[in-house]
Amino acid sequence: MSARSSGRYVGRFAPSPTGPLHAGSLVAALASWLDARAFNDGRGGRWLVRIEDVDTPRCSQAAAETILGQLAACGLHPDAPPVWQSTRSRHYQAALDALVAAGQAYPCGCSRKDIKQAHAAVGHARERHAALPYPGTCRAGLGGKAARSWRFAVPRRQPQAQAIMTEPSATQSQGALTAAVEGPQVCWHDRRLGQQHQDVAADVGDFVLRRADHLWAYQLAVVVDDADQGITDVVRGEDLCDNTARQILLQKALGLPTPRYLHTPIVYGPNGEKLSKQNGAHPLDLGAPAAALIDAANVLGIQSPEAGRNNLIPDVLSHCVKAWRRTYNQTT
């Protein structure tokens, strides 16, 4: 039975525990919670929390517990115990084994320096804030180098290739296009940003599935976890939109369903950069959690409740769910 025919919705918030939540991450958490709670005319779907601690050197148990406490203080309670990526290595290995067996993943012996030199040799320069695509050096073999990482072999465009459309998921209207893939070209619909497309071969190249330090790459882990948790709708920050095409390619390669996507506005710091832990974002001040929720709701285009910042958390959340339903028309 399809997600749509069963009237099912499963969403998630998936923070990396490298530090406490800040104002930008609360926006994403609130949006994903609202989307789940607004589903089916406000009767609601399921909302899960996944702790994305696969990058173990940067993550900590203490930060994860802090995040869970911050969510609870804001009234954002998951419908099941959190899933921890650090416990799921065998699932990621099984997915990688399947890709290798299908000829869709290969070992790579290149360092970052090797990739930079390969591009320099043909006159390619790196643009600011942009990574150069992997040039495919090891796609035909290691050439005597030792394997460092594993990469996904991005499909190349074939003459007269036909777009492959995925089945609409949970709340997608009947017959609507979720995603289409033609070789490396991926097209999908974002519920806020509209039609999106990316040529993964040209923009990214064959991307990493398992890193040189033996840690699992985000792209593989998130695809496996979303499928295993039955996620029908991914609501996350707009800074992650660029990952979507790679994840759709992996979903197709592994025979997994493609969720619907909605990418939320980004919160910027005083320096004009995206607010993040890396650039010194301050932890949420939860002395007044209702006020923090109202600030996050304002970023999402939701006006404050009439009583303003003195509202109780349940009243703020109820107001926000109604406003979200009007904006995104959540029906089965």
Side-chain angles (χ1 to χ4, degrees):
M1 180 180 292
S2 71
R4 175 178 168 75
S5 63
S6 64
R8 186 168 62 89
Y9 179 109
V10 185
R12 48 72 161 180
F13 175 58
S16 296
T18 57
L21 297 182
H22 52 75
S25 44
L26 182 60
V27 170
L30 177 61
S32 64
W33 185 91
L34 290 175
D35 205 51
R37 295 297 180 250
F39 177 70
N40 199 10
D41 291 329
R43 289 184 283 273
R46 284 170 56 79
W47 184 69
L48 308 177
V49 171
R50 180 167 69 234
I51 302 298
E52 295 200 333
D53 60 341
V54 70
D55 192 350
T56 49
R58 298 179 58 243
C59 298
S60 73
Q61 175 83 19
E65 296 296 344
T66 296
I67 289 170
L68 295 173
Q70 290 175 305
L71 292 172
C74 291
L76 307 180
H77 302 284
D79 296 316
V83 167
W84 299 70
Q85 282 189 334
S86 56
T87 68
R88 292 181 46 77
S89 180
R90 65 184 181 89
H91 298 278
Y92 309 143
Q93 184 65 58
L96 176 58
D97 290 345
L99 292 170
V100 172
Q104 294 177 296
Y106 62 88
C108 176
C110 296
S111 66
R112 292 183 181 179
K113 181 179 179 181
D114 293 333
I115 296 170
K116 183 177 179 180
Q117 289 176 339
H119 279 286
V122 293
H124 294 166
R126 179 179 177 272
E127 296 181 11
R128 187 171 182 265
H129 297 315
L132 288 167
Y134 179 67
T137 308
C138 295
R139 191 176 176 112
L142 289 168
K145 292 184 290 187
R148 291 168 49 86
S149 61
W150 285 85
R151 291 182 180 271
F152 179 70
V154 174
R156 296 305 190 242
R157 186 177 299 279
Q158 300 294 326
Q160 299 178 338
Q162 296 297 313
I164 299 176
M165 301 181 185
T166 63
E167 179 185 354
S169 62
T171 55
Q172 188 80 2
S173 57
Q174 189 64 37
L177 177 65
T178 300
V181 177
E182 183 179 342
Q185 185 75 33
V186 181
C187 301
W188 74 99
H189 178 79
D190 184 274
R191 291 169 52 206
R192 171 175 165 262
L193 302 175
Q195 290 300 115
Q196 304 292 309
H197 59 88
Q198 184 180 51
D199 186 323
V200 180
D203 295 345
V204 180
D206 296 344
F207 53 89
V208 172
L209 302 173
R210 191 164 194 178
R211 298 169 13 179
D213 56 8
H214 305 297
L215 296 178
W216 295 103
Y218 164 76
Q219 307 297 352
L220 180 65
V222 72
V223 164
V224 172
D225 290 341
D226 281 346
D228 284 356
Q229 291 187 281
I231 301 301
T232 62
D233 286 72
V234 171
V235 179
R236 59 189 179 186
E238 188 176 338
D239 55 311
L240 295 174
C241 187
D242 184 65
N243 292 294
T244 307
R246 278 169 279 177
Q247 290 164 17
I248 291 172
L249 284 178
L250 281 175
Q251 289 155 5
K252 174 179 175 291
L254 291 166
L256 302 176
T258 294
R260 294 198 314 164
Y261 291 94
L262 188 158
H263 290 87
T264 62
I266 295 173
V267 178
Y268 293 94
N271 61 356
E273 298 284 342
K274 180 181 80 76
L275 199 64
S276 69
K277 299 164 191 172
Q278 286 74 23
N279 64 19
H282 296 295
L284 280 175
D285 178 5
L286 291 179
L293 285 169
I294 287 172
D295 288 341
N298 288 341
V299 174
L300 295 169
I302 298 174
Q303 299 300 313
S304 301
E306 289 184 5
R309 303 173 73 83
N310 294 321
N311 271 312
L312 299 175
I313 288 175
D315 296 333
V316 173
L317 293 176
S318 176
H319 169 84
C320 290
V321 168
K322 293 174 183 175
W324 192 269
R325 284 174 56 199
R326 288 193 296 270
T327 301
Y328 290 101
N329 189 27
Q330 283 283 59
T331 58
T332 53

